[in-house]
Amino acid sequence: MANFEITRVHLEEDTANNKHDRGDFSLIDFNRAGVPLMELVTEPHTFKTDIEAADSASRFAKELQLILWYLGVSEANMEKGEMRVEANISVSDNIKAFELNQPVGLSGRMEAIAALGTKVEVKNLNSFKSVEKAIKYEVDRMIKLLESGKEEEIVQETRGWDESKQKTFSQRKKRIKS
């Protein structure tokens, strides 16, 4: 599907549906709490541009939605919270990272993964356009920080997408295990 390798698929329990587009506050809908949900995780993939990354992620999500419809597993209506996308994004100028897309063997793959930059996860994207816009915004944000010498401001964290402001926002920092 859109040249992404699937790592694993597992079931989780939905906690709630967060609405962050209501102004300066968020609403939490617990109506879906406890409902089983499927999480599908892909292998890391590299792209040369933010547009290529955003288009590929959106295309993957569209193809997945069609498969879920066709199999009768779910209607996967993103606006109703039946399908969401969580994009993991990092930026690197290390050419080794691009070997992720090549058949380089396990040791080469591990080197390529190590060459990726600090990962940021943008959660709960609920439309294909949001997937595209959030990825483009986040890649641009990270590149600007790197180019201005502020690499330390790129931290492993969970971010959300604010549709009204057309930008990501920090939700929580990830704890790095030592």
Side-chain angles (χ1 to χ4, degrees), residues 84-115:
R84 288 171 269 180
V85 173
E86 297 174 356
N88 288 290
I89 304 160
S90 66
V91 174
S92 175
D93 61 0
N94 188 332
I95 197 67
K96 276 279 186 203
F98 286 95
E99 291 181 3
L100 273 173
N101 301 343
Q102 308 301 319
V104 293
L106 183 59
S107 64
R109 186 158 184 76
M110 297 312 287
E111 282 183 46
I113 289 171

PDB file of all heavy atoms in Angstrom, residues 84-115:
ATOM      1  N   ARG A  84      -8.402   7.299  12.300  1.00  0.00           N
ATOM      2  CA  ARG A  84      -7.527   8.443  12.554  1.00  0.00           C
ATOM      3  C   ARG A  84      -6.124   8.091  12.103  1.00  0.00           C
ATOM      4  O   ARG A  84      -5.753   6.922  12.065  1.00  0.00           O
ATOM      5  CB  ARG A  84      -7.509   8.796  14.040  1.00  0.00           C
ATOM      6  CG  ARG A  84      -8.802   9.436  14.500  1.00  0.00           C
ATOM      7  CD  ARG A  84      -8.830   9.556  15.982  1.00  0.00           C
ATOM      8  NE  ARG A  84      -9.450   8.316  16.479  1.00  0.00           N
ATOM      9  CZ  ARG A  84      -9.653   8.035  17.728  1.00  0.00           C
ATOM     10  NH1 ARG A  84      -9.287   8.849  18.668  1.00  0.00           N
ATOM     11  NH2 ARG A  84     -10.219   6.914  18.089  1.00  0.00           N
ATOM     12  N   VAL A  85      -5.339   9.101  11.815  1.00  0.00           N
ATOM     13  CA  VAL A  85      -3.948   8.896  11.414  1.00  0.00           C
ATOM     14  C   VAL A  85      -3.056   9.568  12.434  1.00  0.00           C
ATOM     15  O   VAL A  85      -3.351  10.666  12.906  1.00  0.00           O
ATOM     16  CB  VAL A  85      -3.681   9.492  10.007  1.00  0.00           C
ATOM     17  CG1 VAL A  85      -2.204   9.445   9.661  1.00  0.00           C
ATOM     18  CG2 VAL A  85      -4.508   8.765   8.959  1.00  0.00           C
ATOM     19  N   GLU A  86      -1.978   8.882  12.773  1.00  0.00           N
ATOM     20  CA  GLU A  86      -0.951   9.450  13.637  1.00  0.00           C
ATOM     21  C   GLU A  86       0.350   9.362  12.865  1.00  0.00           C
ATOM     22  O   GLU A  86       0.821   8.271  12.553  1.00  0.00           O
ATOM     23  CB  GLU A  86      -0.896   8.692  14.960  1.00  0.00           C
ATOM     24  CG  GLU A  86      -2.200   8.845  15.705  1.00  0.00           C
ATOM     25  CD  GLU A  86      -2.303   8.022  16.971  1.00  0.00           C
ATOM     26  OE1 GLU A  86      -1.381   7.239  17.277  1.00  0.00           O
ATOM     27  OE2 GLU A  86      -3.325   8.162  17.653  1.00  0.00           O
ATOM     28  N   ALA A  87       0.908  10.505  12.521  1.00  0.00           N
ATOM     29  CA  ALA A  87       2.111  10.554  11.693  1.00  0.00           C
ATOM     30  C   ALA A  87       3.341  10.790  12.559  1.00  0.00           C
ATOM     31  O   ALA A  87       3.361  11.716  13.372  1.00  0.00           O
ATOM     32  CB  ALA A  87       1.980  11.672  10.664  1.00  0.00           C
ATOM     33  N   ASN A  88       4.353   9.950  12.389  1.00  0.00           N
ATOM     34  CA  ASN A  88       5.645  10.140  13.040  1.00  0.00           C
ATOM     35  C   ASN A  88       6.557  10.808  12.027  1.00  0.00           C
ATOM     36  O   ASN A  88       6.744  10.306  10.921  1.00  0.00           O
ATOM     37  CB  ASN A  88       6.225   8.796  13.491  1.00  0.00           C
ATOM     38  CG  ASN A  88       5.475   8.250  14.671  1.00  0.00           C
ATOM     39  OD1 ASN A  88       5.568   8.776  15.762  1.00  0.00           O
ATOM     40  ND2 ASN A  88       4.714   7.193  14.455  1.00  0.00           N
ATOM     41  N   ILE A  89       7.135  11.934  12.430  1.00  0.00           N
ATOM     42  CA  ILE A  89       7.893  12.767  11.500  1.00  0.00           C
ATOM     43  C   ILE A  89       9.260  13.078  12.093  1.00  0.00           C
ATOM     44  O   ILE A  89       9.367  13.415  13.276  1.00  0.00           O
ATOM     45  CB  ILE A  89       7.139  14.091  11.226  1.00  0.00           C
ATOM     46  CG1 ILE A  89       5.737  13.789  10.702  1.00  0.00           C
ATOM     47  CG2 ILE A  89       7.912  14.988  10.276  1.00  0.00           C
ATOM     48  CD1 ILE A  89       4.765  14.931  10.851  1.00  0.00           C
ATOM     49  N   SER A  90      10.286  12.976  11.280  1.00  0.00           N
ATOM     50  CA  SER A  90      11.621  13.449  11.660  1.00  0.00           C
ATOM     51  C   SER A  90      12.283  14.002  10.412  1.00  0.00           C
ATOM     52  O   SER A  90      11.911  13.665   9.288  1.00  0.00           O
ATOM     53  CB  SER A  90      12.457  12.329  12.280  1.00  0.00           C
ATOM     54  OG  SER A  90      12.753  11.328  11.338  1.00  0.00           O
ATOM     55  N   VAL A  91      13.268  14.858  10.619  1.00  0.00           N
ATOM     56  CA  VAL A  91      13.988  15.491   9.521  1.00  0.00           C
ATOM     57  C   VAL A  91      15.471  15.215   9.727  1.00  0.00           C
ATOM     58  O   VAL A  91      15.977  15.327  10.841  1.00  0.00           O
ATOM     59  CB  VAL A  91      13.726  17.016   9.497  1.00  0.00           C
ATOM     60  CG1 VAL A  91      14.585  17.704   8.466  1.00  0.00           C
ATOM     61  CG2 VAL A  91      12.257  17.296   9.242  1.00  0.00           C
ATOM     62  N   SER A  92      16.143  14.838   8.643  1.00  0.00           N
ATOM     63  CA  SER A  92      17.575  14.555   8.727  1.00  0.00           C
ATOM     64  C   SER A  92      18.234  14.900   7.409  1.00  0.00           C
ATOM     65  O   SER A  92      17.656  14.697   6.348  1.00  0.00           O
ATOM     66  CB  SER A  92      17.802  13.072   9.043  1.00  0.00           C
ATOM     67  OG  SER A  92      19.175  12.757   9.016  1.00  0.00           O
ATOM     68  N   ASP A  93      19.455  15.406   7.493  1.00  0.00           N
ATOM     69  CA  ASP A  93      20.232  15.623   6.271  1.00  0.00           C
ATOM     70  C   ASP A  93      21.295  14.532   6.120  1.00  0.00           C
ATOM     71  O   ASP A  93      22.132  14.588   5.240  1.00  0.00           O
ATOM     72  CB  ASP A  93      20.865  17.007   6.242  1.00  0.00           C
ATOM     73  CG  ASP A  93      21.825  17.241   7.387  1.00  0.00           C
ATOM     74  OD1 ASP A  93      22.014  16.334   8.219  1.00  0.00           O
ATOM     75  OD2 ASP A  93      22.405  18.348   7.454  1.00  0.00           O
ATOM     76  N   ASN A  94      21.228  13.526   6.973  1.00  0.00           N
ATOM     77  CA  ASN A  94      22.166  12.399   6.921  1.00  0.00           C
ATOM     78  C   ASN A  94      21.734  11.457   5.798  1.00  0.00           C
ATOM     79  O   ASN A  94      20.662  10.874   5.835  1.00  0.00           O
ATOM     80  CB  ASN A  94      22.179  11.676   8.268  1.00  0.00           C
ATOM     81  CG  ASN A  94      23.257  10.620   8.340  1.00  0.00           C
ATOM     82  OD1 ASN A  94      23.656  10.040   7.344  1.00  0.00           O
ATOM     83  ND2 ASN A  94      23.723  10.367   9.553  1.00  0.00           N
ATOM     84  N   ILE A  95      22.582  11.321   4.801  1.00  0.00           N
ATOM     85  CA  ILE A  95      22.260  10.505   3.626  1.00  0.00           C
ATOM     86  C   ILE A  95      21.981   9.053   4.004  1.00  0.00           C
ATOM     87  O   ILE A  95      21.249   8.348   3.311  1.00  0.00           O
ATOM     88  CB  ILE A  95      23.389  10.620   2.565  1.00  0.00           C
ATOM     89  CG1 ILE A  95      22.913  10.137   1.202  1.00  0.00           C
ATOM     90  CG2 ILE A  95      24.634   9.887   2.995  1.00  0.00           C
ATOM     91  CD1 ILE A  95      21.859  10.986   0.564  1.00  0.00           C
ATOM     92  N   LYS A  96      22.520   8.582   5.122  1.00  0.00           N
ATOM     93  CA  LYS A  96      22.288   7.202   5.573  1.00  0.00           C
ATOM     94  C   LYS A  96      20.797   6.936   5.784  1.00  0.00           C
ATOM     95  O   LYS A  96      20.323   5.827   5.573  1.00  0.00           O
ATOM     96  CB  LYS A  96      23.032   6.921   6.882  1.00  0.00           C
ATOM     97  CG  LYS A  96      24.456   6.522   6.708  1.00  0.00           C
ATOM     98  CD  LYS A  96      24.494   5.069   6.359  1.00  0.00           C
ATOM     99  CE  LYS A  96      25.900   4.556   6.307  1.00  0.00           C
ATOM    100  NZ  LYS A  96      26.005   3.378   5.479  1.00  0.00           N
ATOM    101  N   ALA A  97      20.039   7.954   6.202  1.00  0.00           N
ATOM    102  CA  ALA A  97      18.610   7.779   6.462  1.00  0.00           C
ATOM    103  C   ALA A  97      17.871   7.336   5.210  1.00  0.00           C
ATOM    104  O   ALA A  97      16.886   6.602   5.291  1.00  0.00           O
ATOM    105  CB  ALA A  97      18.008   9.069   7.006  1.00  0.00           C
ATOM    106  N   PHE A  98      18.351   7.743   4.034  1.00  0.00           N
ATOM    107  CA  PHE A  98      17.662   7.402   2.788  1.00  0.00           C
ATOM    108  C   PHE A  98      17.835   5.941   2.404  1.00  0.00           C
ATOM    109  O   PHE A  98      17.155   5.448   1.521  1.00  0.00           O
ATOM    110  CB  PHE A  98      18.095   8.334   1.656  1.00  0.00           C
ATOM    111  CG  PHE A  98      17.486   9.691   1.807  1.00  0.00           C
ATOM    112  CD1 PHE A  98      18.176  10.703   2.436  1.00  0.00           C
ATOM    113  CD2 PHE A  98      16.197   9.935   1.367  1.00  0.00           C
ATOM    114  CE1 PHE A  98      17.592  11.942   2.612  1.00  0.00           C
ATOM    115  CE2 PHE A  98      15.610  11.168   1.541  1.00  0.00           C
ATOM    116  CZ  PHE A  98      16.305  12.183   2.168  1.00  0.00           C
ATOM    117  N   GLU A  99      18.745   5.230   3.086  1.00  0.00           N
ATOM    118  CA  GLU A  99      18.906   3.808   2.818  1.00  0.00           C
ATOM    119  C   GLU A  99      17.730   2.992   3.352  1.00  0.00           C
ATOM    120  O   GLU A  99      17.624   1.813   3.072  1.00  0.00           O
ATOM    121  CB  GLU A  99      20.231   3.300   3.394  1.00  0.00           C
ATOM    122  CG  GLU A  99      21.424   3.862   2.647  1.00  0.00           C
ATOM    123  CD  GLU A  99      22.746   3.356   3.193  1.00  0.00           C
ATOM    124  OE1 GLU A  99      22.756   2.514   4.114  1.00  0.00           O
ATOM    125  OE2 GLU A  99      23.781   3.820   2.686  1.00  0.00           O
ATOM    126  N   LEU A 100      16.840   3.622   4.132  1.00  0.00           N
ATOM    127  CA  LEU A 100      15.646   2.924   4.619  1.00  0.00           C
ATOM    128  C   LEU A 100      14.823   2.366   3.467  1.00  0.00           C
ATOM    129  O   LEU A 100      14.172   1.348   3.603  1.00  0.00           O
ATOM    130  CB  LEU A 100      14.763   3.877   5.427  1.00  0.00           C
ATOM    131  CG  LEU A 100      15.086   4.009   6.897  1.00  0.00           C
ATOM    132  CD1 LEU A 100      14.231   5.104   7.512  1.00  0.00           C
ATOM    133  CD2 LEU A 100      14.887   2.715   7.627  1.00  0.00           C
ATOM    134  N   ASN A 101      14.836   3.057   2.343  1.00  0.00           N
ATOM    135  CA  ASN A 101      14.023   2.642   1.205  1.00  0.00           C
ATOM    136  C   ASN A 101      14.733   1.632   0.312  1.00  0.00           C
ATOM    137  O   ASN A 101      14.195   1.217  -0.700  1.00  0.00           O
ATOM    138  CB  ASN A 101      13.632   3.864   0.366  1.00  0.00           C
ATOM    139  CG  ASN A 101      12.855   4.875   1.168  1.00  0.00           C
ATOM    140  OD1 ASN A 101      12.338   4.566   2.229  1.00  0.00           O
ATOM    141  ND2 ASN A 101      12.782   6.087   0.675  1.00  0.00           N
ATOM    142  N   GLN A 102      15.961   1.253   0.671  1.00  0.00           N
ATOM    143  CA  GLN A 102      16.761   0.340  -0.139  1.00  0.00           C
ATOM    144  C   GLN A 102      16.908  -1.007   0.559  1.00  0.00           C
ATOM    145  O   GLN A 102      16.889  -1.080   1.787  1.00  0.00           O
ATOM    146  CB  GLN A 102      18.163   0.930  -0.368  1.00  0.00           C
ATOM    147  CG  GLN A 102      18.170   2.350  -0.899  1.00  0.00           C
ATOM    148  CD  GLN A 102      17.446   2.491  -2.211  1.00  0.00           C
ATOM    149  OE1 GLN A 102      17.564   1.649  -3.078  1.00  0.00           O
ATOM    150  NE2 GLN A 102      16.672   3.553  -2.355  1.00  0.00           N
ATOM    151  N   PRO A 103      17.105  -2.069  -0.193  1.00  0.00           N
ATOM    152  CA  PRO A 103      17.356  -3.383   0.428  1.00  0.00           C
ATOM    153  C   PRO A 103      18.802  -3.464   0.902  1.00  0.00           C
ATOM    154  O   PRO A 103      19.685  -3.921   0.192  1.00  0.00           O
ATOM    155  CB  PRO A 103      17.072  -4.365  -0.717  1.00  0.00           C
ATOM    156  CG  PRO A 103      17.322  -3.582  -1.959  1.00  0.00           C
ATOM    157  CD  PRO A 103      16.994  -2.149  -1.642  1.00  0.00           C
ATOM    158  N   VAL A 104      19.085  -2.977   2.117  1.00  0.00           N
ATOM    159  CA  VAL A 104      20.455  -2.891   2.623  1.00  0.00           C
ATOM    160  C   VAL A 104      20.758  -3.914   3.712  1.00  0.00           C
ATOM    161  O   VAL A 104      21.825  -3.869   4.317  1.00  0.00           O
ATOM    162  CB  VAL A 104      20.766  -1.467   3.157  1.00  0.00           C
ATOM    163  CG1 VAL A 104      20.782  -0.470   2.027  1.00  0.00           C
ATOM    164  CG2 VAL A 104      19.767  -1.059   4.233  1.00  0.00           C
ATOM    165  N   GLY A 105      19.860  -4.824   3.986  1.00  0.00           N
ATOM    166  CA  GLY A 105      20.093  -5.804   5.037  1.00  0.00           C
ATOM    167  C   GLY A 105      19.799  -5.226   6.404  1.00  0.00           C
ATOM    168  O   GLY A 105      19.592  -4.022   6.561  1.00  0.00           O
ATOM    169  N   LEU A 106      19.790  -6.083   7.420  1.00  0.00           N
ATOM    170  CA  LEU A 106      19.404  -5.665   8.772  1.00  0.00           C
ATOM    171  C   LEU A 106      20.369  -4.640   9.354  1.00  0.00           C
ATOM    172  O   LEU A 106      19.939  -3.630   9.909  1.00  0.00           O
ATOM    173  CB  LEU A 106      19.302  -6.888   9.691  1.00  0.00           C
ATOM    174  CG  LEU A 106      18.841  -6.597  11.115  1.00  0.00           C
ATOM    175  CD1 LEU A 106      17.465  -5.933  11.106  1.00  0.00           C
ATOM    176  CD2 LEU A 106      18.796  -7.864  11.935  1.00  0.00           C
ATOM    177  N   SER A 107      21.681  -4.866   9.235  1.00  0.00           N
ATOM    178  CA  SER A 107      22.627  -3.915   9.831  1.00  0.00           C
ATOM    179  C   SER A 107      22.544  -2.565   9.127  1.00  0.00           C
ATOM    180  O   SER A 107      22.602  -1.521   9.777  1.00  0.00           O
ATOM    181  CB  SER A 107      24.048  -4.461   9.802  1.00  0.00           C
ATOM    182  OG  SER A 107      24.486  -4.611   8.461  1.00  0.00           O
ATOM    183  N   GLY A 108      22.381  -2.568   7.797  1.00  0.00           N
ATOM    184  CA  GLY A 108      22.224  -1.317   7.063  1.00  0.00           C
ATOM    185  C   GLY A 108      20.945  -0.607   7.443  1.00  0.00           C
ATOM    186  O   GLY A 108      20.900   0.611   7.550  1.00  0.00           O
ATOM    187  N   ARG A 109      19.882  -1.359   7.659  1.00  0.00           N
ATOM    188  CA  ARG A 109      18.595  -0.784   8.070  1.00  0.00           C
ATOM    189  C   ARG A 109      18.714  -0.129   9.451  1.00  0.00           C
ATOM    190  O   ARG A 109      18.184   0.939   9.685  1.00  0.00           O
ATOM    191  CB  ARG A 109      17.520  -1.863   8.071  1.00  0.00           C
ATOM    192  CG  ARG A 109      16.144  -1.318   8.347  1.00  0.00           C
ATOM    193  CD  ARG A 109      15.081  -2.281   7.823  1.00  0.00           C
ATOM    194  NE  ARG A 109      13.784  -1.724   8.007  1.00  0.00           N
ATOM    195  CZ  ARG A 109      13.252  -0.766   7.260  1.00  0.00           C
ATOM    196  NH1 ARG A 109      13.912  -0.260   6.270  1.00  0.00           N
ATOM    197  NH2 ARG A 109      12.044  -0.308   7.499  1.00  0.00           N
ATOM    198  N   MET A 110      19.433  -0.797  10.366  1.00  0.00           N
ATOM    199  CA  MET A 110      19.606  -0.237  11.710  1.00  0.00           C
ATOM    200  C   MET A 110      20.416   1.069  11.647  1.00  0.00           C
ATOM    201  O   MET A 110      20.111   2.021  12.346  1.00  0.00           O
ATOM    202  CB  MET A 110      20.288  -1.247  12.631  1.00  0.00           C
ATOM    203  CG  MET A 110      19.470  -2.526  12.852  1.00  0.00           C
ATOM    204  SD  MET A 110      17.731  -2.244  13.288  1.00  0.00           S
ATOM    205  CE  MET A 110      17.910  -1.674  14.956  1.00  0.00           C
ATOM    206  N   GLU A 111      21.429   1.120  10.783  1.00  0.00           N
ATOM    207  CA  GLU A 111      22.202   2.351  10.598  1.00  0.00           C
ATOM    208  C   GLU A 111      21.310   3.458  10.038  1.00  0.00           C
ATOM    209  O   GLU A 111      21.413   4.613  10.454  1.00  0.00           O
ATOM    210  CB  GLU A 111      23.363   2.116   9.634  1.00  0.00           C
ATOM    211  CG  GLU A 111      24.547   1.412  10.235  1.00  0.00           C
ATOM    212  CD  GLU A 111      25.672   1.282   9.216  1.00  0.00           C
ATOM    213  OE1 GLU A 111      25.985   2.278   8.529  1.00  0.00           O
ATOM    214  OE2 GLU A 111      26.218   0.169   9.114  1.00  0.00           O
ATOM    215  N   ALA A 112      20.463   3.103   9.090  1.00  0.00           N
ATOM    216  CA  ALA A 112      19.573   4.088   8.481  1.00  0.00           C
ATOM    217  C   ALA A 112      18.587   4.641   9.508  1.00  0.00           C
ATOM    218  O   ALA A 112      18.343   5.849   9.564  1.00  0.00           O
ATOM    219  CB  ALA A 112      18.825   3.474   7.302  1.00  0.00           C
ATOM    220  N   ILE A 113      18.025   3.771  10.347  1.00  0.00           N
ATOM    221  CA  ILE A 113      17.093   4.227  11.386  1.00  0.00           C
ATOM    222  C   ILE A 113      17.804   5.142  12.374  1.00  0.00           C
ATOM    223  O   ILE A 113      17.263   6.158  12.793  1.00  0.00           O
ATOM    224  CB  ILE A 113      16.432   3.013  12.087  1.00  0.00           C
ATOM    225  CG1 ILE A 113      15.450   2.338  11.116  1.00  0.00           C
ATOM    226  CG2 ILE A 113      15.715   3.434  13.370  1.00  0.00           C
ATOM    227  CD1 ILE A 113      14.882   1.024  11.592  1.00  0.00           C
ATOM    228  N   ALA A 114      19.056   4.804  12.724  1.00  0.00           N
ATOM    229  CA  ALA A 114      19.828   5.632  13.647  1.00  0.00           C
ATOM    230  C   ALA A 114      20.109   7.016  13.058  1.00  0.00           C
ATOM    231  O   ALA A 114      20.290   7.982  13.795  1.00  0.00           O
ATOM    232  CB  ALA A 114      21.132   4.938  14.015  1.00  0.00           C
ATOM    233  N   ALA A 115      20.130   7.125  11.727  1.00  0.00           N
ATOM    234  CA  ALA A 115      20.417   8.401  11.064  1.00  0.00           C
ATOM    235  C   ALA A 115      19.208   9.327  11.013  1.00  0.00           C
ATOM    236  O   ALA A 115      19.342  10.501  10.666  1.00  0.00           O
ATOM    237  CB  ALA A 115      20.927   8.140   9.645  1.00  0.00           C
TER     238      ALA A 115
END
